[in-house]
């Protein structure tokens, strides 16, 4: 992995935490700094629900142009598990899109 990849990945993770989670979902009891990259977002740890999962997906499309409608529900659950998995999905979709241009 290159330094540029690592920097872009860190920027994406920060945007996910602040923009897609804290701001978009109006989370008040936690800060972006308290959300770790591997914190389980839905259910047990952060406690988000399916409506909030939908909001995160819409946010991914608005902020990054990443659409996930083509993914099966079971695969989508894996990609939305935590900040790290969402960032990896965004990077993979962005890279795929750039190769297709």
């Amino acid at each position: 992995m290159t330094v540029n990849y690592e920097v872009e990945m860190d920027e994406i993770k920060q945007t996910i935490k602040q923009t897609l989670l804290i701001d978009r979902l109006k989370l008040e009891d936690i800060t972006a700094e308290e959300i770790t990259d591997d914190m389980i977002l839905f259910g047990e740890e952060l406690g988000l629900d399916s409506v909030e999962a939908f909001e995160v997906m819409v946010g991914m499309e608005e902020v990054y142009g990443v659409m996930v409608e083509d993914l099966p529900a079971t695969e989508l659950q894996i990609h939305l598990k935590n900040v790290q998995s969402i960032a990896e999905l965004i990077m993979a979709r962005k890279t795929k899109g750039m190769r297709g241009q």
Side-chain angles (χ1 to χ4, degrees), residues 30-88:
I30 193 166
T31 65
E33 293 76 27
E34 294 172 314
I35 299 173
T36 62
D37 294 348
D38 60 348
M39 178 183 282
I40 304 300
L41 301 178
F42 301 93
E44 57 220 50
E45 289 186 39
L46 192 55
L48 303 180
D49 61 26
S50 59
V51 172
E52 291 163 320
F54 179 75
E55 280 298 319
V56 170
M57 292 185 290
V58 171
M60 288 169 50
E61 185 175 346
E62 288 178 1
V63 175
Y64 293 104
V66 171
M67 298 173 72
V68 294
E69 291 90 10
D70 61 324
L71 295 176
T74 53
E75 193 174 327
L76 195 53
Q77 283 181 315
I78 294 167
H79 290 299
L80 296 178
K81 178 180 179 180
N82 55 38
V83 170
Q84 181 68 38
S85 61
I86 294 172
E88 289 170 358

